[in-house]
Amino acid sequence: MSTVPPPNSYRSGPDADGRFGIYGGRFVAETLMPLILSLEEAYEAAKRDPAFRDELEYLNKHYSGRPSPLYFAERLTAHFGGAKIYFKRDELNHTGSHKINNCLGQILLAKRMGKTRIIAETGAGQHGVAVATVAARFGLPCTVFMGATDIDRQKPNVFRMRLLGADIRAVTAGSGTLKDAMNEALRDWVTHVDDTFYIIGTAAGPHPYPAMVRDFQSVIGTEAKAQMQEMEGRLPDTLVACIGGGSNAIGLFHPFLDDPEVRILGVEAAGLGLDTPDHAASLTGGAPGVLHGNRTYLLQDDDGQILEGHSISAGLDYPGIGPEHSWLRDTGRVEYVAATDAEALDAFQLCSRLEGIIPALEPSHALAHVSKIAPDLPPDHIILMNMCGRGDKDVFAVAGHLGLEIEP
Amino acid sequence: MSQTRIDRRFAALKAEGRAGFVTFLTAGDPEPETSMALLRGLPAAGADIIELGMPFTDPMADGPAIQASNQRALAAGQTMLKTLDMVRAFREGDDETPIVLMGYYNPVYAYGPERFLKDAREAGVDGLIIVDLPAEEDRELCIPALGAGVNFIRLLAPTTDEARLPRVLENISGFVYYVSIAGITGAAAPDAGAVAAAVSRIKARCALPVAVGFGVTEPDQAAAIAAHADAVVVGSALVREVENAVQNGGDAVTSVLRKVSELAAGVRRGRTK
């Protein structure tokens, strides 16, 4: 659906007020306002500083293992019998997901700003692990807020964070999931304004977070573009990425937004189905609202109360989405679709058996959509999918869904 | 804009030579009937200005006590329409005590800002405090509120520095709400000396009355703040009385209004200290 006239460039946002069209902004309490303004100033200065860029590049290469490979998924391609399928292998990064890209950038900024304490929220624990990792690497104490429900269903990541020295705070408010963890992190931040840096994990929150997280994640799309040029001598025809808050997706999409010949698809979590209340598809099943510092599409009732998302994947189980995605939806530049729990579970198993890659449940949603479109596309059509995380953390949950018992 | 009940109340307080007492309760907490009885009882118990919370699922700036009160109200079926109805019902018996609706932007945004301002004004609402609308977002509700004759009351924090003050004090009316601690509601107690310094810093820049809140729980603290501020705000301590009554099967109206009287007495003796 296109409700907004197309801009000259899809890559120039946000504006000075932190807006992408009507989305984004700085909807925070006054106590936090001076902090996000100084963060914005520090980030703008860091972006222009070659020493900052060099250090980030060095860490991306030698600590995280970038560039991540671009991989031709030959057996899946043969299996679907249509388009050529490529994976951008961000699950091979240090810590097992794309989350490290953003955490390295933000911790360098925290050091630059002289902050001495790190806080973060996490849902599935992938961002929490990445934050705990960079905090350990840079010797800063770190507190991770995690919903009590999520702590229960993501035990391996909880233990991993503890090994890395992070203090895990269980959040019992609300439903004890990602949204409540983010509320609690904001409450902590407002109480420790002098020394604390809040590393937000997705491309959401008050300006400058959506733009900053996108910039740090855009390494995914920038690399993929060059790698595809090398392997195929051209741009891909279709991009596919899963979307919870949308950080891996915006990281892949952003460098391609002004290439009109590239079709771009974001895949939300349809949970038990979009016709049920149990899904986490903010764009396909929500309405614009204001939460966690930005205006964006939200799952909410008619009275503006936020609804709980549901997804088999704790990483997609968030009632909002990054504001740039909301704008890309309204402009029609990116199409947003959804895949159910069951479809993701099928894709998870298929990828494991055919490619020897156990994907996280999050990119399994992207693959589920690839499985719907690839068979009907010609063999010279190239689909590039972001394999944004590995599935080790999900094996216990998946075993449960398949009716198998394994010891966590 | 023309005078509101808030302006008149502060003028009267000034004439009396005392600070005002601002109470906060969440609309619909613990359920509609008790909440309405509480609202009606507040002025006689000593509340000079009433802040009525519009419940929200995600009260990000609030501590555990007010979070729980939001949840109780929502669980008991509170909606924006019901909150406005409460104000309307209150106005049938009291046309003088100012009412300020306080909360987060999303329920207002979902209701529709223009429609909300019109309905709130007609119901008898005098002012608004929207926690997550800083000066940078004034176009959303603050400027439309000025046009609709509703005071938009801004929160100022210890983190609001001198350079930022002019921006924050732009476009506001009614009174200034100084958040006495960098933190969430109901947390640490404020330091009266630091509050006094902050209040005079704000008063040097702005002619509006300054109310101080966050962390005030006892009459003596209220008295200490009242010595320096034009009004003292108490929320979490009152909401905790509701919670205790719900948990122990007591009468919330009696215990909350008793607490209001004690705190009001503290506020009233603040200036003679």
Side-chain angles (χ1 to χ4, degrees):
Chain A
M1 182 182 70
S2 182
T3 54
V4 172
N8 293 327
S9 167
Y10 289 95
R11 303 185 62 204
S12 56
D15 66 18
D17 295 326
R19 301 281 183 109
F20 302 91
I22 66 163
Y23 301 103
R26 291 182 272 227
F27 296 89
V28 296
E30 171 60 23
T31 314
L32 289 181
M33 203 54 223
L35 277 77
I36 64 167
L37 290 175
S38 74
L39 174 63
E40 182 182 351
E41 199 180 319
Y43 177 56
E44 289 303 320
K47 261 200 311 198
R48 289 190 301 270
D49 180 354
F52 179 83
R53 289 202 304 266
D54 288 350
E55 190 173 5
L56 182 56
E57 217 164 275
Y58 178 89
L59 288 164
N60 271 338
K61 183 174 176 188
H62 297 282
Y63 188 64
S64 182
R66 301 209 72 91
S68 67
L70 183 70
Y71 169 71
F72 173 45
E74 199 176 336
R75 296 197 67 216
L76 273 171
T77 298
H79 176 80
F80 294 130
K84 273 182 105 164
I85 299 161
Y86 280 86
F87 290 160
K88 178 62 174 163
R89 302 284 308 273
D90 252 55
E91 99 280 13
L92 292 177
N93 295 335
H94 181 43
T95 74
S97 81
H98 70 290
K99 292 293 185 188
I100 191 82
N101 305 334
N102 168 49
C103 291
L104 283 171
Q106 288 201 44
I107 197 125
L108 289 181
L109 198 54
K111 294 286 276 189
R112 248 178 108 92
M113 293 178 76
K115 301 293 182 183
T116 54
R117 175 175 175 263
I118 299 296
I119 59 169
E121 84 295 337
T122 197
Q126 291 304 90
H127 174 59
V129 166
V131 171
T133 297
V134 299
R137 166 67 181 74
F138 285 88
L140 294 177
C142 163
T143 300
V144 177
F145 295 89
M146 188 168 187
T149 309
D150 288 338
I151 287 183
D152 229 35
R153 57 179 176 174
Q154 302 289 335
K155 288 193 181 101
N157 273 346
V158 172
F159 183 61
R160 205 168 287 154
M161 287 185 273
R162 291 203 165 117
L163 278 177
L164 291 160
D167 172 24
I168 314 297
R169 300 271 176 87
V171 179
T172 50
S175 62
T177 57
L178 179 55
K179 133 183 122 70
D180 308 295
M182 198 153 179
N183 289 335
E184 212 53 40
L186 286 164
R187 289 180 188 122
D188 181 285
W189 199 23
V190 89
T191 311
H192 301 97
V193 289
D194 293 329
D195 62 350
T196 297
F197 191 101
Y198 180 14
I199 300 187
I200 293 183
T202 194
H207 179 65
Y209 281 101
M212 181 169 73
V213 175
R214 174 202 68 200
D215 292 348
F216 291 140
Q217 292 295 359
S218 290
V219 67
I220 300 171
T222 304
E223 282 176 11
K225 205 170 187 178
Q227 289 166 321
M228 190 61 81
Q229 201 58 244
E230 202 172 296
M231 290 177 78
E232 291 279 354
R234 66 179 181 92
L235 291 172
D237 299 293
T238 302
L239 303 179
V240 183
C242 66
I243 302 213
S247 70
N248 93 83
I250 201 71
L252 176 68
F253 298 168
H254 197 258
F256 293 94
L257 289 176
D258 285 335
D259 298 307
E261 64 274 40
V262 180
R263 186 184 180 200
I264 306 181
L265 293 163
V267 185
E268 296 192 289
L272 302 181
L274 292 179
D275 53 350
T276 76
D278 297 313
H279 64 77
S282 325
L283 288 175
T284 35
V290 173
L291 179 71
H292 293 154
N294 58 167
R295 177 165 24 230
T296 193
Y297 278 82
L298 299 172
L299 299 178
Q300 56 181 321
D301 68 13
D302 293 341
D303 214 41
Q305 306 298 338
I306 308 303
L307 301 173
E308 301 294 341
H310 162 81
S311 169
I312 190 174
S313 144
L316 302 182
D317 196 350
Y318 178 68
I321 184 160
E324 195 164 8
H325 285 294
S326 292
W327 177 73
L328 289 168
R329 171 203 187 273
D330 283 6
T331 57
R333 176 62 188 100
V334 177
E335 298 161 63
Y336 294 89
V337 295
T340 63
D341 288 354
E343 290 166 342
L345 209 48
D346 286 346
F348 180 95
Q349 296 171 80
L350 187 69
C351 187
S352 301
R353 285 198 308 268
L354 288 184
E355 294 292 349
I357 296 171
I358 301 175
L361 280 170
E362 290 80 16
S364 296
H365 286 73
L367 187 58
H369 192 73
V370 169
S371 77
K372 293 176 198 171
I373 61 172
D376 298 327
L377 292 166
D380 62 348
H381 187 104
I382 297 173
I383 296 176
L384 167 55
M385 189 200 105
N386 198 17
M387 181 59 75
C388 62
R390 67 176 189 228
D392 308 39
K393 69 181 173 67
D394 294 316
V395 295
F396 300 105
V398 169
H401 287 289
L402 298 177
L404 305 166
E405 286 276 339
I406 54 174
E407 278 300 309
Chain B
M1 62 189 282
S2 57
Q3 272 216 332
T4 64
R5 291 184 191 89
I6 295 173
D7 301 323
R8 291 198 292 275
R9 179 55 50 98
F10 273 107
L13 288 166
K14 194 171 184 184
E16 273 185 64
R18 68 172 179 92
F21 181 37
V22 184
T23 58
F24 172 91
L25 287 170
T26 302
D29 174 31
E31 30 70 33
E33 201 182 326
T34 306
S35 184
M36 192 65 224
L38 281 167
L39 183 60
R40 288 193 211 273
L42 284 171
D48 297 305
I49 295 175
I50 296 171
E51 280 180 18
L52 193 57
M54 300 175 280
F56 183 45
T57 39
D58 295 78
M60 285 153 283
D62 285 298
I66 294 180
Q67 287 173 43
S69 83
N70 277 266
Q71 286 176 351
R72 282 193 300 271
L74 291 172
Q78 194 67 15
T79 61
M80 188 66 89
L81 284 173
K82 288 182 184 172
T83 299
L84 294 175
D85 282 345
M86 277 181 75
V87 177
R88 213 169 280 122
F90 175 85
R91 281 278 167 256
E92 286 166 12
D94 184 327
D95 197 33
E96 277 312 308
T97 309
I99 292 192
V100 174
L101 292 183
M102 178 165 185
Y104 295 80
Y105 187 39
N106 200 54
V108 174
Y109 186 68
Y111 194 93
E114 293 296 330
R115 176 183 163 226
F116 172 78
L117 289 170
K118 180 172 167 288
D119 290 1
R121 170 81 200 251
E122 281 172 11
V125 170
D126 305 287
L128 301 172
I129 300 175
I130 307 294
V131 177
D132 51 354
L133 284 181
E136 279 70 8
E137 303 293 351
D138 269 357
R139 285 169 301 171
E140 297 284 335
L141 196 64
C142 174
I143 290 167
L146 284 175
V150 177
N151 290 139
F152 191 91
I153 293 141
R154 185 97 72 213
L155 300 170
L156 263 71
T159 51
T160 311
D161 60 20
E162 206 62 31
R164 186 169 164 71
L165 263 184
R167 175 89 194 253
V168 175
L169 294 173
E170 220 179 358
N171 302 327
I172 58 172
S173 58
F175 62 94
V176 172
Y177 185 149
Y178 179 67
V179 173
S180 59
I181 49 160
I184 52 178
T185 53
D191 171 65
V195 166
V199 169
S200 49
R201 190 163 67 97
I202 297 164
K203 283 191 166 292
R205 296 262 192 177
C206 164
L208 291 176
V210 179
V212 175
F214 275 43
V216 182
T217 57
E218 295 305 326
D220 284 347
Q221 290 174 322
I225 302 289
H228 308 288
D230 297 305
V232 181
V233 190
V234 177
S236 296
L238 302 179
V239 163
R240 272 188 212 111
E241 295 293 333
V242 177
E243 185 170 271
N244 288 340
V246 168
Q247 282 173 359
N248 306 324
D251 176 24
V253 177
T254 307
S255 56
V256 171
L257 295 183
R258 187 191 307 128
K259 184 81 182 172
V260 168
S261 302
E262 290 166 11
L263 287 158
V267 171
R268 277 157 205 263
R269 71 171 182 266
R271 289 281 168 86
T272 53
K273 266 195 162 175

